[in-house]
Amino acid sequence: MAFGDRVVQRDLDFTIGEGDIFIIMGGSGCGKSTLMRHMIGLQPPAAGQVLYGGESFWDMDHERRERLMQEIGILYQRGALWSSLTLLENVSLPLEQYTDLSPASIEELARLKLALVGLAGFEEFLPAEISGGMQKRAALARAIALDPRILFFDEPSAGLDPVSAHRLDRLILELRDSLGATVVLVTHELQSIFAIGSNSVFLDAGARTQIATGDPRRLLRESTDPRVIEFLTRGGDLQRETP
Amino acid sequence: MESTDRLLLRRSSDRLVVVLRGDWTREQPYAVGPVLRQLEESLEGMVGIAFDTTALGRWDSMLVLLLRRIERLAAGHSLELDRSGLPRGADRLLQLAGASAEHRDAGRDTPPGGMLHGLGVRFYHALADAAALLRFVGEATLAFGRLLLGRARFSGRDLLLFIQAASFEALPIVSLINFLIGMILAFVGVVQLQVFGAEIYVANLIGISVTREMGAIMVAVIMAGRTGAAYAAQLGTMQVNEEIDALITLGLPPMEYLVLPRILALTLMMPLLVVYADIVGIAGGLLASINLSSIGLHQFMLQTVEAVGLDDILIGIFKGAVFGLLVASAGCYHGMRSGRSSASVGRATTDAVVMSVISIVVADAVITVVTTLIGV
């Protein structure tokens, strides 16, 4: 991973299992979001491969990649809802583009998705008319519109109060369990990491590579790397046995 | 009982069992309406609805949609819904969707309909817009007053950057448009005046129309689309990113720090651009005239000097300053009023250009009438 000539991360090698809630973690500026951009097709890596089921994402032909993208749902850090569309229209758009369903079915399905994230009754609101937490949930409804097999979340709790953040974490868990999806989460929110993460990779800005992988709770208990311990104990504020 | 390849209804003592078979995904859409009607008709004497999904294949949200409909049907007939036969994931999704239904009241007031209400709302908005415009003009005037007193707070570096953007960087487009306008005027003028053997007067036509009207108007329209729109987009984006809030909380009035330098830059630079546009426009007219008619270069220039008075040039320059003030004010006004979304910024930019063009034409009409009345 690089910005121009500047290498941000190198020698990254990890596997995400089906059904995992996989956390990409590390301090600010270590390249977490960039790594996610490589994985979701927004930016090719400077070198190396991103494999989906053993198939190289960046070497796929256009049609195959488009089909794969329909199996991926993404929740962006600031929601990225289309501001001129209502919540219902935001959720309907992927369904209109990629299914042959009737307009009535699309609307019903979009209402269902909004209901799943607790936004029934807000279908006709514009994104600017609802709170930040609700925007995140609406963006989640859009992300699950096509019943994706893989869900990516970029800092889902950023800017949310603890209650909303907790509620979003529970929702992610619920949706993972009911949709059977794999979840990839970019975050440095320790509470989320320990509450829902089942596997992880730890990127370090100084070493410019991954310095740990595995269940975050296990890393907290067993890691001997001082950088990992410092991060997971919030600089020593938390006990290593806490979660 | 009703039976299809994928959905079957079966009675089991006092319960109606919905048997689901095969795949229930978006790829295999299924018209459930007739079966649901049959289901509703079969509910007589039943105490509940249950599910049998032992032969169910792949499923996605389409199955949950069907289950929601059956759930509502059961609730409407006060029947018990036994969900134990459902796949665990589908049952959880159904619960999630149901839990959210409890928060249904979104709290948005339904506006009363009717034409009268619509008219009232429009009138109210028009009044609010007029009040906001007056407030903007008032605040801008006060900011200008503070500038004259040397108490305005803005960055001189910003002013220079805006001056550069509103002058030097605009020269290519101003040159192109005004040169072509001069040529078009010459072409039309020569063709018409040749009929009367008065083609030499094409120099009068070009000289006076370019210096009094076309130079200033064309520059103003260019700057409305180029600079006025940019001001609206810049300030609108600053609203979205809360940069304006940050200035206010820092104690820096946005009217002085952001609006004043923009208005000053364009108002000061427009007269210079108009003078430049006059020269380029006349040059375009000259080139076309000497190529399309028997008028010589020297003859055209002498005729232009004789026809165009200082008052024509000064009126054009004055119009330039007024148009600059109007275009910059429209851009800043709509940028400052922009909402906090990308759609609002787009709307602000469009409104700024529309307001600029309308105000240019209205102001030009007023100035033309006044100058005619006072005999200038």
Side-chain angles (χ1 to χ4, degrees):
Chain A
M1 283 163 50
F3 287 118
D5 292 337
R6 190 169 67 88
V7 175
V8 181
Q9 289 284 326
R10 56 160 57 93
D11 302 330
L12 298 184
D13 185 7
F14 56 87
T15 305
I16 301 172
E18 209 170 326
D20 271 358
I21 294 190
F22 189 89
I23 314 280
I24 300 173
M25 59 180 166
S28 299
C30 69
K32 301 185 295 288
S33 293
T34 310
L35 174 59
M36 190 179 113
R37 288 174 66 82
H38 294 325
M39 295 168 77
I40 61 176
L42 287 178
Q43 190 182 329
Q49 302 278 7
V50 177
L51 304 175
Y52 280 91
E55 207 178 343
S56 169
F57 180 89
W58 291 99
D59 293 335
M60 283 175 197
D61 63 50
H62 178 72
E63 277 181 24
R64 173 74 190 103
R65 195 182 296 176
E66 198 170 81
R67 273 203 307 280
L68 177 65
M69 289 307 290
Q70 289 173 40
E71 296 178 358
I72 292 175
I74 302 155
L75 175 68
Y76 294 94
Q77 194 170 345
R78 295 170 70 177
L81 291 167
W82 297 299
S83 58
S84 58
L85 304 183
T86 62
L87 300 192
L88 188 71
E89 290 167 337
N90 261 283
V91 182
S92 299
L93 190 69
L95 294 163
E96 286 164 6
Q97 294 300 313
Y98 293 113
T99 70
D100 299 323
L101 297 173
S102 67
S105 297
I106 286 176
E107 185 182 329
E108 203 178 349
L109 211 46
R111 285 181 186 277
L112 169 71
K113 301 293 178 180
L114 284 167
L116 286 177
V117 297
L119 288 175
F122 290 89
E123 291 86 354
E124 301 306 327
F125 280 61
L126 288 168
E129 297 174 319
I130 56 176
S131 70
M134 290 162 84
Q135 285 182 14
K136 283 267 170 74
R137 281 188 278 140
L140 179 54
R142 185 181 67 184
I144 60 170
L146 292 169
D147 296 312
R149 288 196 305 122
I150 310 168
L151 272 166
F152 283 90
F153 295 82
D154 189 6
E155 306 274 9
S157 310
L160 297 186
D161 64 79
V163 177
S164 304
H166 172 73
R167 199 173 162 202
L168 192 63
D169 283 349
R170 303 309 309 166
L171 192 58
I172 291 169
L173 267 182
E174 284 281 358
L175 290 174
R176 192 278 306 259
D177 291 346
S178 19
L179 296 170
T182 303
V183 173
V184 181
L185 250 158
V186 170
T187 186
H188 48 210
E189 297 284 335
L190 289 177
Q191 292 205 321
S192 295
I193 290 171
F194 294 128
I196 60 176
S198 62
N199 196 357
S200 69
V201 61
F202 189 101
L203 308 184
D204 186 69
R208 294 187 188 178
T209 189
Q210 65 189 56
I211 54 172
T213 54
D215 184 331
R217 283 166 294 246
R218 185 180 61 75
L219 288 180
L220 178 69
R221 281 193 313 270
E222 298 172 8
S223 177
T224 52
D225 191 312
R227 293 163 295 184
V228 178
I229 296 168
E230 187 184 24
F231 181 89
L232 293 178
T233 58
R234 211 164 167 245
D237 279 358
L238 302 175
Q239 296 295 313
R240 295 190 71 179
E241 295 79 23
T242 302
Chain B
M1 302 261 12
E2 180 70 17
S3 167
T4 71
D5 57 338
R6 282 152 65 194
L7 195 149
L8 175 90
L9 300 179
R10 171 162 53 83
R11 280 178 198 269
S12 170
S13 64
D14 53 359
R15 280 168 189 267
L16 191 68
V17 180
V18 179
V19 184
L20 297 164
R21 302 185 297 195
D23 291 346
W24 282 81
T25 63
R26 280 196 318 273
E27 285 74 34
Q28 289 93 27
Y30 185 79
V32 293
V35 186
L36 284 176
R37 273 194 293 279
Q38 175 75 27
L39 189 148
E40 193 167 7
E41 287 162 12
S42 315
L43 292 175
E44 187 66 42
M46 296 287 122
V47 295
I49 300 176
F51 297 94
D52 176 353
T53 57
T54 45
L56 180 68
R58 291 183 307 123
W59 61 270
D60 62 18
S61 298
M62 294 308 284
L63 175 69
V64 186
L65 266 191
L66 171 76
L67 298 177
R68 273 198 106 189
R69 286 184 179 183
I70 296 176
E71 186 183 42
R72 283 179 189 154
L73 208 62
H77 288 79
S78 306
L79 297 178
E80 180 199 335
L81 191 72
D82 177 3
R83 304 200 288 211
S84 57
L86 290 175
R88 190 165 152 266
D91 184 29
R92 291 171 79 109
L93 287 173
L94 205 56
Q95 282 177 32
L96 265 181
S100 129
E102 291 162 19
H103 313 289
R104 243 181 192 288
D105 181 16
R108 176 182 255 190
D109 295 334
T110 311
M115 198 177 73
L116 202 61
H117 174 262
L119 273 175
V121 168
R122 284 186 179 196
F123 181 69
Y124 175 78
H125 284 158
L127 272 184
D129 286 349
L133 186 61
L134 271 179
R135 196 177 309 118
F136 178 85
V137 172
E139 286 178 10
T141 309
L142 287 174
F144 187 69
R146 281 193 290 276
L147 173 77
L148 291 180
L149 295 171
R151 284 165 45 200
R153 279 174 290 178
F154 69 89
S155 154
R157 191 173 149 272
D158 279 358
L159 177 63
L160 290 177
L161 283 173
F162 290 129
I163 284 178
Q164 182 185 337
S167 57
F168 180 72
E169 289 173 11
L171 290 184
I173 181 83
V174 169
S175 306
L176 177 72
I177 300 294
N178 283 282
F179 192 79
L180 290 176
I181 287 289
M183 288 184 83
I184 293 165
L185 284 173
F187 185 77
V188 175
V190 165
V191 170
Q192 295 303 316
L193 292 169
Q194 261 173 352
V195 178
F196 306 102
E199 57 191 18
I200 185 62
Y201 292 106
V202 76
N204 298 49
L205 172 74
I206 293 166
I208 294 171
S209 57
V210 165
T211 52
R212 278 187 88 105
E213 294 289 340
M214 297 309 289
I217 286 191
M218 292 319 294
V219 170
V221 171
I222 292 166
M223 297 312 275
R226 190 186 171 279
T227 308
Y231 289 172
Q234 286 162 4
L235 296 176
T237 310
M238 289 179 86
Q239 288 281 19
V240 174
N241 294 334
E242 297 178 314
E243 293 169 51
I244 293 180
D245 294 347
L247 278 176
I248 294 170
T249 49
L250 200 64
L252 288 172
M255 195 54 80
E256 290 177 24
Y257 201 80
L258 299 174
V259 174
L260 202 55
R262 285 174 169 81
I263 292 181
L264 270 181
L266 200 56
T267 311
L268 292 174
M269 288 304 105
M270 276 284 285
L272 300 182
L273 283 176
V274 169
V275 172
Y276 175 76
D278 290 350
I279 296 167
V280 174
I282 292 171
L286 183 148
L287 188 72
S289 300
I290 59 175
N291 280 297
L292 290 167
S293 69
S294 57
I295 307 170
L297 172 71
H298 194 236
Q299 209 180 351
F300 184 95
M301 290 178 76
L302 276 178
Q303 187 67 23
T304 303
V305 170
E306 199 170 301
V308 178
L310 185 63
D311 52 345
D312 297 320
I313 296 170
L314 290 177
I315 285 171
I317 291 173
F318 174 70
K319 281 183 181 175
V322 173
F323 296 164
L325 178 68
L326 292 173
V327 168
S329 301
C332 293
Y333 168 68
H334 285 288
M336 293 296 287
R337 287 195 75 200
S338 166
R340 294 183 187 275
S341 67
S342 54
S344 311
V345 177
R347 217 166 22 246
T349 311
T350 308
D351 290 347
V353 175
V354 171
M355 189 181 188
S356 297
V357 173
I358 292 173
S359 57
I360 288 165
V361 175
V362 171
D364 187 54
V366 171
I367 295 171
T368 304
V369 169
V370 171
T371 50
T372 306
L373 286 176
I374 62 176
V376 183

